[in-house]
Structure formats: structure tokens, C-alpha cells
């Protein structure tokens, strides 16, 4: 039975405080195929309020038979039908996908915090959300897969939101309905489907692997997406290795994701005593790896790959894969036993259905949103993460237009707090905050051997302490959603609002190292470095421009 409360009184700050973005953080790192990080500066500024779209009320999960076209939903459903029996007080939020941004929204909109007349629904095909930041560690057997997953069912039950383990197959933006695959039976004449109505729809559905239409890729390679299958596929492939066999791992794609996957595969197979010979090779289409990084950072990367015996071949463009060779456009043939396809991201398979609904997408299939993360065509539809491209971004200093951020997890995870705030403000018809992603952030690459390589301020960071830093940030984020750590909402003394601080907020100590001491600390690679102290120096550099420049002056003398 659905109990509808007739009041809509709540304090805006209660809903928005949890995960509220602070401008003091910028820690991030690469994750398997997605570069998933944990902190990036997001400056919030006031935006002109977007006119509120007409909204139907009331949550329904219904079935209706349609015409022959599966996506001709509006043929038999009108706006008048939708509002006829609706309750004017219910606010329905439908979240499509359990991505990293939506994890934060689910937790923030728990039953103790959200208004009583809000109905929140999550739709995802899987019960488990993989945390991409830990996937390279799973590949190198530093983590189990369970340690890198969040139970959507448990999180939804805790927050007291509806969770439908189902697939979205279409949207009718006019009647504000999402259509689900459940009970869908399609033939030449009719189709039937379940639907859920929304007042606000938010999409966090990720992306697909690019180039899967290359002959042989789907049959012989292991694509990085969907991420929840990547570890299973690599595990199965590893189990097929026989005693004394040669293992030749080829990773197609020389971006940060491909590099980290190659290091992870080396970490996995070098521990297997049954392997007679091990080769790990990266195929890159360019002339150098990570050309946007500084010379010092690229040089450190070359040193790491050499030390870990990972080979790199440049100018490689794959035309076909068969059961033994990867064929390149220049005639070269690369022998392999395991091929990992990390050639970048393309739009999700649902992109066409989203476009058919009249929701704006760009030429590559990415959902077009403005700086408030609202669709440029429908102000009550939000999108975040890889599935979206942000238009209208402005450089804070010059005022010039900026390109949408790359498909990296650092931008996906930090859109969560903005979604929390702007969905709330949408219902209140208040001014929206804008997303202002920073250009640079700390990047951390798991080397698969208990060390990591980091880049920040053009400086290379390497060693055990960098791995400890990455692991700590990963665990801190996962701890937010692990079932054992979720507070008991039934207790009377439970807090009715979240703390405004970030989970990884930096608290300055009474004394910081001198610029020279700070430089020496973060450039060290020995095992005696305290990662907390080194992390503190990096944060001091981010928050204090003068201190940063002084540290960099000493670093430039050493590099």
C-alpha cells in the first residue's frame, strides 16, 4: 500500500549535505578501463533556474499493450491519461543505473532524510555495482571481486527505496514513463511492457567499449565493458592456462586504462608457477603513451613498464582478430593467447532509444546535458557519468567555452553531489548549481606489484606509499556503501542529516613541511614514506598556490 503524505516541507540542506562537494579536494586515480577516481575539485556557482517541466504525479507500475513498434509508446498513452488519477503531492524520482553517481544519490535520499512524499526508484539489470577503482587490483589478485562490489539490493533496502532489477527498454518523455523489459513479449503484431512513471529521471548508465564491431573482437577479445563481466572473463581465461604453456597477453589501447590493465595482467600471471613464458604487450595507435602528461611523468611511466617487463608497440591499428593473431593495418601480425580490448568508450546501447524519445544526444550518442547536469531538451531529465556530455561549460578565468570532460571516473563520481543538490532544487524550483570540473587532478595507476604510479602538478609519484594512498581512498569510498557500515535508520538517536564534510576531507595539521622538505617527501620512492604525510603535502599544494610553486621550484631542480 502506498501512503501519500500531503505535505512537502523539508529543509534543502538536509538532502544536499551528504556528499556535498567541497573545493578542497582533488584526489583521483585510474580504474580498470574507466580511470575511476575519488576526488576532484567541483566549484559550484549559481545558474539561472530552469523552467519546471510539467510533471505528472503518482507512482505506477503498470502494463499496457502497444502497437507493433516497441517504442511507439505514446500511441495509446496521453498526458491526460497520466495525470487523471495522479496525486498532486507525490514526487517521483527514477534512477536508471547503479553507477557511482547514483550510489551517492541513493544514500543521500534515504528514508530519514528525503521528504515523506518523495518516491525514489532504482532500475538496474544487476544487483551488484562494480567499483572500477579496484578492478585493476582484482585483476592482479590484490582484491577479491566481492571487495570491489556494492550490493544495490542492500543499499536500496537500507535507504527504503524501490529497486527493480530490470532493463530499461524505452522512454516516453511526453508522458514521463520508463518502460521495462520485464514481461515483455514481442512478436510481429504487439508488444507488452511494464512501465514506471517519473517526475524526475536520472540516467547513470555508463558506456560501451568502442570498436566491438572490428572483425573478431566480440569472438576472441575480452572487452573492458561491461565492467562487471571483465574480472569474470579474465578469471575464466586464466583458468584455461595449462602447465608449461606460454602466455602472451596483448592489451589493445594505450590509454591510462590499457596501461593499468596491462600491469594488472602482469601482476596476475607472474604469480602462476605453471606459466613457462610470460609476455605482456600494449598496442597503442599513437607515437607515445599519455602525450598530455609532462616529460617527467612519461619518463617515469616508461621506467615502470620496463621494470615490470611490459612491452609497448606504437602505430598499431587493429583491423581484425582471429584465434591466433591480431592483424594490424600495416600488415603486422601480433600473436596472442589473451587479448584485452581497451580501445576506449562509445555510447551505451540504449543511446538510440534515448534519442528516439526526443532526448537530445550528440553525434556520438552521448546524452547532452548542461552544466547543471539537466538534459538540454528536457529539464526534468538528468544524466551523469560516461553516458553524458556536458555542454556550455565556461572557463572560470577567461570565460571561454570548455570542452566536456573526458570519459574518466573522476568526473563521474563528483557529479553525484551535484545530482543530489540539483534534483532537490528542481522540486523546489530553486536556482541550480553548476558543474565546474577542474582540468588537472591526481592520477594513480596500480602497478600490480604493491606499488603505484601517480601524476600531479606534472610530478611523477612512485612507490609503495602511492599504492597505500590509492588503496586507502578506494576503501574509504567503498566503506560508505558497505552493508555493515550503513547506520541503523530505525534508531531514534540517528542523525537526521549528513555531515557536510567530504569523507576524505583534508584537515590541516599544526605544522606542514617546508617546501623543500615537502618536495623531498613526495618524490621519494622508498618503503619508509608515510603516505599520509605525503598526501598532506599534495593537498597543501592544491590549497596554497604559493606553497605549491615553492615545492615545484625545488622539484624542477631535481627532475
Amino acid at each position: 500500500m502506498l501512503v501519500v503524505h500531503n505535505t512537502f516541507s523539508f529543509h534543502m540542506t538536509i538532502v544536499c549535505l551528504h556528499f556535498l562537494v567541497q573545493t578542497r579536494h582533488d584526489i583521483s586515480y585510474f580504474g580498470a578501463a574507466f580511470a575511476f577516481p575519488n576526488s576532484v575539485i567541483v566549484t559550484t556557482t549559481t545558474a539561472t533556474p530552469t523552467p519546471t517541466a510539467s510533471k505528472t504525479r503518482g507512482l505506477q507500475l503498470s502494463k499496457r499493450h502497444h502497437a507493433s513498434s516497441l517504442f511507439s509508446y505514446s500511441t495509446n498513452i496521453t498526458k491526460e491519461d497520466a495525470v487523471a488519477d495522479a496525486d498532486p503531492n507525490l514526487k517521483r524520482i527514477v534512477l536508471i543505473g547503479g553507477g557511482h553517481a547514483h550510489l551517492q544519490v541513493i544514500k543521500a535520499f534515504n528514508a530519514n532524510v528525503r521528504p515523506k512524499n518523495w518516491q525514489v526508484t532504482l532500475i538496474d539489470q544487476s544487483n551488484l555495482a562494480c567499483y572500477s577503482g579496484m578492478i585493476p587490483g582484482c585483476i592482479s589478485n590484490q582484491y577479491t571481486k566481492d571487495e570491489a562490489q556494492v550490493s544495490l539490493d542492500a543499499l536500496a533496502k537500507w535507504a527504503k527505496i524501490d529497486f527493480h532489477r530490470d532493463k530499461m527498454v524505452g522512454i516516453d518523455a511526453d508522458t514521463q514513463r520508463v518502460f521495462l523489459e520485464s514481461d515483455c513479449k514481442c512478436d510481429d503484431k504487439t508488444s507488452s511492457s511494464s512501465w514506471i512513471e517519473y517526475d524526475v529521471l536520472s540516467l547513470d548508465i555508463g558506456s560501451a567499449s568502442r570498436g566491438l564491431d572490428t572483425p573478431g573482437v566480440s569472438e576472441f577479445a575480452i572487452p573492458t565493458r561491461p565492467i562487471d563481466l571483465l574480472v569474470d572473463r579474465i578469471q575464466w581465461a586464466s583458468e584455461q592456462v595449462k602447465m608449461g604453456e606460454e602466455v602472451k597477453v596483448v592489451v589493445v589501447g594505450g590509454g591510462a586504462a590499457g596501461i593499468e590493465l596491462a600491469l594488472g595482467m602482469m601482476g596476475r600471471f607472474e604469480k602462476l608457477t605453471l606459466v613457462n613464458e610470460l609476455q605482456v604487450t600494449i598496442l597503442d595507435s599513437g607515437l607515445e603513451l599519455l602525450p598530455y602528461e609532462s616529460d617527467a611523468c612519461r619518463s617515469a611511466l616508461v621506467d615502470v613498464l620496463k621494470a615490470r617487463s611490459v612491452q609497448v608497440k606504437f602505430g598499431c591499428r587493429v583491423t581484425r582478430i582471429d584465434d591466433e593473431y591480431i592483424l594490424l593495418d600495416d600488415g603486422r601480425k601480433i600473436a596472442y593467447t589473451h587479448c584485452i580490448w581497451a580501445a576506449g568508450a562509445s555510447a551505451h546501447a540504449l543511446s538510440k532509444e534515448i534519442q528516439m524519445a526526443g532526448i537530445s544526444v550528440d553525434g556520438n550518442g552521448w546524452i547532452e546535458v548542461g552544466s547543471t547536469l539537466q538534459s538540454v531538451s528536457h529539464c526534468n531529465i538528468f544524466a551523469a557519468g560516461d553516458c553524458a556530455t556536458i555542454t556550455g561549460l565556461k572557463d572560470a578565468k577567461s570565460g571561454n567555452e570548455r570542452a566536456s570532460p573526458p570519459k574518466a571516473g573522476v568526473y563521474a563520481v563528483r557529479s553525484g553531489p551535484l545530482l543530489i543538490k540539483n534534483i532537490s532544487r528542481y522540486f523546489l524550483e530553486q536556482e541550480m548549481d553548476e558543474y565546474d570540473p577542474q582540468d588537472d587532478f591526481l592520477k594513480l595507476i596500480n602497478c600490480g606489484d604493491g606499488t603505484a604510479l601517480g601524476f600531479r602538478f606534472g610530478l611523477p609519484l612512485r612507490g609503495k606509499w602511492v599504492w597505500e594512498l590509492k588503496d586507502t581512498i578506494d576503501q574509504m569510498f567503498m566503506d560508505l556503501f558497505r552493508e555493515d557500515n550503513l547506520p541503523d535508520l530505525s534508531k531514534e538517536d540517528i542523525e537526521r542529516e549528513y555531515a557536510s564534510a567530504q569523507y576524505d576531507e583534508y584537515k590541516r595539521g599544526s605544522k606542514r613541511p617546508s617546501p623543500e622538505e615537502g618536495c623531498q617527501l613526495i618524490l621519494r620512492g622508498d618503503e619508509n614514506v608515510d603516505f599520509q604525510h605525503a598526501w598532506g603535502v599534495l593537498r597543501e599544494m592544491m590549497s596554497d598556490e604559493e606553497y605549491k610553486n615553492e615545492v615545484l621550484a625545488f622539484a624542477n631542480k631535481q627532475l
Side-chain angles (χ1 to χ4, degrees):
M1 177 178 180
L2 180 64
V3 178
V4 178
H5 297 265
N6 292 323
T7 60
F8 183 47
S9 59
F10 91 112
H11 299 291
M12 178 66 188
T13 54
I14 293 179
V15 176
C16 296
L17 282 177
H18 188 47
F19 294 106
L20 186 61
V21 174
Q22 308 292 309
T23 59
R24 297 186 177 90
H25 314 288
D26 90 316
I27 300 301
S28 64
Y29 48 86
F30 291 119
F34 303 99
F36 185 74
N38 258 338
S39 297
V40 65
I41 290 180
V42 180
T43 304
T44 55
T45 56
T46 302
T48 303
T50 307
T52 304
S54 58
K55 301 180 284 292
T56 60
R57 309 288 198 257
L59 175 67
Q60 296 181 2
L61 180 60
S62 311
K63 296 180 182 178
R64 178 170 296 215
H65 292 274
H66 306 287
S68 59
S69 173
L70 179 61
F71 298 104
S72 298
Y73 295 120
S74 59
T75 303
N76 298 318
I77 304 173
T78 67
K79 191 72 170 181
E80 289 71 21
D81 292 335
V83 301
D85 300 318
D87 186 291
N89 295 299
L90 193 65
K91 310 293 182 182
R92 303 156 307 170
I93 303 168
V94 175
L95 309 174
I96 306 297
H100 301 92
H102 277 176
L103 289 178
Q104 301 170 66
V105 175
I106 294 167
K107 189 172 183 184
F109 285 170
N110 72 71
N112 276 25
V113 172
R114 68 176 184 261
K116 298 301 181 183
N117 60 334
W118 279 23
Q119 176 73 48
V120 184
T121 301
L122 169 68
I123 300 169
D124 195 289
Q125 289 180 267
S126 175
N127 175 46
L128 299 171
C130 284
Y131 174 55
S132 56
M134 296 173 73
I135 293 302
C138 293
I139 292 172
S140 58
N141 288 323
Q142 293 167 298
Y143 303 116
T144 66
K145 187 180 178 181
D146 288 344
E147 290 177 300
Q149 292 178 322
V150 174
S151 170
L152 295 178
D153 183 60
L155 186 62
K157 285 181 179 178
W158 171 83
K160 294 182 173 61
I161 75 167
D162 295 328
F163 175 39
H164 295 274
R165 189 172 174 182
D166 210 332
K167 178 182 178 181
M168 183 188 81
V169 294
I171 302 171
D172 188 328
D174 292 330
T175 60
Q176 297 178 180
R177 298 187 179 197
V178 171
F179 293 83
L180 307 181
E181 188 178 53
S182 59
D183 301 321
C184 182
K185 300 178 181 179
C186 305
D187 53 34
D188 293 337
K189 297 181 180 180
T190 63
S191 63
S192 64
S193 175
S194 300
W195 72 63
I196 293 179
E197 295 181 337
Y198 64 86
D199 294 302
V200 163
L201 176 66
S202 184
L203 299 158
D204 185 13
I205 57 176
S207 58
S209 291
R210 185 172 59 196
L212 293 183
D213 56 347
T214 302
V217 170
S218 296
E219 183 177 0
F220 299 110
I222 301 174
T224 56
R225 297 170 174 84
I227 188 174
D228 59 328
L229 298 180
L230 175 62
V231 176
D232 292 339
R233 289 167 172 167
I234 290 177
Q235 177 64 32
W236 182 87
S238 303
E239 293 171 352
Q240 309 312 305
V241 176
K242 298 178 175 60
M243 179 66 71
E245 185 177 354
E246 293 185 1
V247 173
K248 298 179 180 179
V249 177
V250 177
V251 178
V252 179
I259 292 168
E260 194 171 28
L261 285 168
L263 290 166
M265 292 296 283
M266 177 62 75
R268 167 179 285 266
F269 282 107
E270 69 183 354
K271 300 182 181 74
L272 298 180
T273 56
L274 56 81
V275 175
N276 181 45
E277 181 180 347
L278 173 61
Q279 295 180 12
V280 177
T281 304
I282 298 171
L283 303 186
D284 184 52
S285 62
L287 300 178
E288 62 179 349
L289 297 176
L290 307 186
Y292 47 83
E293 297 294 346
S294 69
D295 291 342
C297 290
R298 290 199 303 273
S299 178
L301 174 60
V302 170
D303 290 343
V304 166
L305 294 175
K306 183 177 180 180
R308 301 288 290 128
S309 300
V310 174
Q311 303 176 40
V312 183
K313 296 182 182 295
F314 295 104
C316 300
R317 292 174 176 80
V318 178
T319 58
R320 184 165 59 88
I321 300 178
D322 61 28
D323 59 351
E324 293 186 49
Y325 296 98
I326 300 170
L327 287 79
L328 307 183
D329 64 352
D330 59 6
R332 282 180 290 174
K333 297 170 63 176
I334 311 297
Y336 77 97
T337 59
H338 302 76
C339 177
I340 310 298
W341 191 262
S346 66
H348 194 280
L350 287 171
S351 174
K352 292 182 179 179
E353 283 68 47
I354 292 170
Q355 185 176 21
M356 289 174 64
I359 300 168
S360 181
V361 302
D362 70 5
N364 294 315
W366 308 116
I367 303 169
E368 291 186 306
V369 299
S371 58
T372 61
L373 303 185
Q374 292 170 285
S375 164
V376 299
S377 59
H378 296 77
C379 64
N380 66 333
I381 296 178
F382 293 77
D386 277 5
C387 68
T389 185
I390 306 175
T391 65
L393 290 175
K394 300 287 187 180
D395 183 82
K397 294 181 179 180
S398 67
N400 297 329
E401 287 195 14
R402 298 172 54 188
S404 182
K407 303 301 178 185
V410 59
Y411 303 108
V413 71
R414 285 310 177 197
S415 61
L418 193 65
L419 279 179
I420 295 166
K421 179 176 288 187
N422 283 351
I423 289 173
S424 303
R425 291 187 171 189
Y426 173 82
F427 284 131
L428 294 176
E429 300 186 18
Q430 293 181 340
E431 292 180 328
M432 299 284 184
D433 276 2
E434 293 186 298
Y435 190 36
D436 185 18
Q438 71 184 86
D439 296 324
D440 190 24
F441 49 88
L442 175 63
K443 310 173 186 75
L444 300 173
I445 299 176
N446 185 350
C447 296
D449 62 349
T451 69
L453 175 65
F455 306 141
R456 188 60 172 111
F457 305 116
L459 302 179
L461 314 169
R462 182 181 176 185
K464 179 184 176 183
W465 74 266
V466 186
W467 155 252
E468 291 172 340
L469 171 59
K470 182 185 187 310
D471 177 61
T472 296
I473 299 172
D474 287 341
Q475 300 292 354
M476 289 171 66
F477 185 80
M478 288 296 289
D479 282 345
L480 295 172
F481 309 106
R482 287 180 170 133
E483 188 172 0
D484 293 342
N485 295 337
L486 297 173
D488 186 352
L489 297 181
S490 67
K491 292 184 178 179
E492 294 183 358
D493 60 347
I494 191 71
E495 292 186 9
R496 301 298 171 179
E497 63 181 65
Y498 290 108
S500 60
Q502 285 282 0
Y503 64 90
D504 58 352
E505 182 180 17
Y506 174 53
K507 297 180 180 179
R508 178 177 292 179
S510 58
K511 182 181 179 180
R512 70 183 179 189
S514 69
E516 184 175 9
E517 292 171 335
C519 171
Q520 293 173 350
L521 179 62
I522 62 177
L523 293 184
R524 282 171 55 186
D526 61 88
E527 295 189 356
N528 296 320
V529 177
D530 186 325
F531 81 90
Q532 292 282 10
H533 292 164
W535 193 10
V537 171
L538 294 172
R539 288 175 156 186
E540 289 285 346
M541 292 174 68
M542 192 190 70
S543 61
D544 187 330
E545 187 75 12
E546 182 179 356
Y547 182 74
K548 180 191 76 173
N549 291 333
E550 291 175 347
V551 173
L552 291 177
F554 284 105
N556 289 333
K557 295 177 182 179
Q558 296 187 35
L559 296 176

